[in-house]
Amino acid sequence: MKAIAVHPGKAGSIHLEDVPKPSLDQVSDGRGVLVRVLRVGVDGTDKEINAAEYGAAPPGDDFLIIGHENFGVVEDVGPNVPDTIRPGGYVVASVRRPGSSIYGKIGLQDFTTDDVYFEDSNFVFPLPETLREVGVLLEPTTVAEKGINHAYEIQRRLKVWEPRRALILGSGTIGLLMAMAARLRGLELTVASLPQPPYRNSELVEQLGGVYVSTQDQSLAEISQERGPFDLIMDATGFSPVVWEAAEVLGKNGVLVLSSITGGDRKAEIRSDAINQSFVLGNKVMVGTVNASPADFRSGVDDLIKAQALFPGWLDQLLTTPIRGLENYDQMIRALTEDKDAIKVFVEVNGSR
């Protein structure tokens, strides 16, 4: 069978690789699930791996298969797989699986210190038929889910936390999914991003009942004066200096969630005394988040179902850029790197629907 892969450390090495078809007996204890992949979403991670910014091949191979935002249909299952996962059903597999660290043992493999992970039915999450067309969005949705779930978990220290206003920084795929998650939790929604409205992404924010503001028109301080103070701020811009502006407008008892991977060397001049004092006196939190746990996948499924019911057709609008077939990987990488209007680029494996 075929897979899109790269040679890690070699920029622009994306290619189609022949790989053996997996079998159920490769997974111990009868917990294997054989899945035919239907769609794979791609994002900045795949672009950066192809640019040789990071990534490593598994032992014994000189290639790394990319595309972690998977969606497929179950073809066969082992004898010890629960009946919630059955042939013909749709599933998404999580990205990290437990190794030997204590974090994996308690179901928090997204915090693992290990380099080796394993796959079995414990990390395959079933989706209902109603999510057939948007299920490929589950994995990126879990980034938003983990961020907002952990914000609420952190603030259990307050005994009661009733956030009212959320500010999402960035209006790409992750930013829009963060906006959805915040709105589904009843928060007043503001999204701040660089492009000036109106355009597709700003209209998607408005369809959620939120307010979109261009940072070319207003600073975060000005946005906060009109729409804040913000109890929850989530960053998905990839632009690290904005973090310090966000820290200044975070409300008392607020949480600032950072999810951008910034591998550059940007520097920013900040009002460190003011930020420090406001965090100390205001009991504020800044926290980083990466990847997601099984609980975040389950809440992600719930939120996708709710979004389909409350905002019909909204999720479908995120799927802007289908690529028909694995053989069109050059078209895929061009869309990722050059199409500034794309929200979600995804591959229809074998052009299937």
Side-chain angles (χ1 to χ4, degrees):
M1 63 183 220
K2 303 289 186 180
I4 298 175
V6 302
H7 296 295
K10 183 179 179 182
S13 63
I14 191 167
H15 65 283
L16 209 57
E17 184 78 28
D18 283 305
V19 295
K21 183 177 179 178
S23 61
L24 291 179
D25 58 15
Q26 292 176 270
V27 182
S28 63
D29 300 327
R31 294 178 295 144
V33 180
L34 187 64
V35 179
R36 178 164 57 90
V37 177
L38 300 177
R39 285 180 173 178
V40 178
V42 289
D43 63 4
T45 298
D46 305 291
K47 178 174 67 175
E48 290 154 8
I49 289 174
N50 184 53
E53 294 182 23
Y54 49 81
D61 290 320
D62 66 350
F63 64 89
L64 174 66
I65 297 173
I66 64 172
H68 56 282
E69 298 178 5
N70 59 88
F71 172 78
V73 61
V74 176
E75 289 195 335
D76 199 3
V77 298
N80 293 326
V81 173
D83 64 6
T84 54
I85 300 170
R86 61 183 66 185
Y90 297 117
V91 294
V92 167
S94 63
V95 178
R96 291 187 185 178
R97 288 111 186 150
S100 59
S101 82
I102 187 64
Y103 305 104
K105 291 177 181 177
I106 63 170
L108 295 177
Q109 60 266 23
D110 44 320
F111 287 93
T112 189
T113 53
D114 289 339
D115 296 319
V116 178
Y117 320 106
F118 304 91
E119 301 183 40
D120 64 42
S121 61
N122 292 330
F123 311 104
V124 176
F125 301 91
L127 292 84
E129 172 70 30
T130 54
L131 295 182
R132 165 64 178 86
E133 292 301 317
V134 298
V136 74
L137 292 171
L138 176 56
E139 196 282 333
T141 297
T142 65
V143 178
E145 294 291 322
K146 179 181 176 182
I148 201 165
N149 289 343
H150 276 248
Y152 278 88
E153 179 68 16
I154 289 166
Q155 294 306 68
R156 287 178 61 187
R157 67 193 182 130
L158 301 179
K159 311 306 178 187
V160 58
W161 190 51
E162 296 180 345
R164 177 180 171 185
R165 301 181 182 92
L167 171 64
I168 309 300
L169 304 177
S171 59
T173 307
I174 299 298
L176 289 169
L177 292 169
M178 286 176 170
M180 177 196 76
R183 197 62 174 157
L184 289 175
R185 286 158 178 80
L187 300 179
E188 295 178 13
L189 174 64
T190 305
V191 175
S193 193
L194 186 63
Q196 292 178 307
Y199 76 120
R200 182 181 0 224
N201 303 47
S202 67
E203 292 167 357
L204 285 164
V205 172
E206 291 166 0
Q207 289 173 29
L208 292 174
V211 171
Y212 178 94
V213 184
S214 169
T215 52
Q216 295 185 65
D217 298 330
Q218 290 185 284
S219 68
L220 294 191
E222 291 169 333
I223 295 170
S224 180
Q225 287 178 354
E226 291 186 10
R227 299 279 300 166
F230 297 108
D231 306 297
L232 174 67
I233 303 178
M234 303 181 75
D235 170 57
T237 62
F239 183 67
S240 59
V242 77
V243 167
W244 307 111
E245 293 181 58
E248 291 208 53
V249 302
L250 185 65
K252 290 182 178 180
N253 295 340
V255 181
L256 170 56
V257 180
L258 312 183
S259 66
S260 295
I261 304 297
T262 50
D265 58 358
R266 290 190 182 97
K267 298 178 177 62
E269 186 173 314
I270 65 173
R271 299 199 313 149
S272 57
D273 281 345
I275 293 171
N276 178 78
Q277 181 165 293
S278 72
F279 266 68
V280 172
L281 299 182
N283 289 296
K284 304 178 187 181
V285 176
M286 182 187 299
V287 61
T289 178
V290 64
N291 208 262
S293 72
D296 303 313
F297 276 82
R298 288 189 285 269
S299 68
V301 172
D302 290 345
D303 273 0
L304 291 180
I305 293 170
K306 292 174 186 175
Q308 288 284 70
L310 295 173
F311 309 108
W314 188 86
L315 289 167
D316 301 78
Q317 295 177 71
L318 303 187
L319 298 170
T320 55
T321 315
I323 307 298
R324 309 295 183 188
L326 293 174
E327 65 276 9
N328 292 315
Y329 58 86
D330 281 336
Q331 181 185 349
M332 178 200 81
I333 206 69
R334 282 198 305 273
L336 262 182
T337 55
E338 300 173 11
D339 188 349
K340 304 304 181 185
D341 295 324
I343 297 178
K344 174 48 62 182
V345 180
F346 65 100
V347 178
E348 295 271 15
V349 179
N350 296 320
S352 63
R353 284 191 60 80

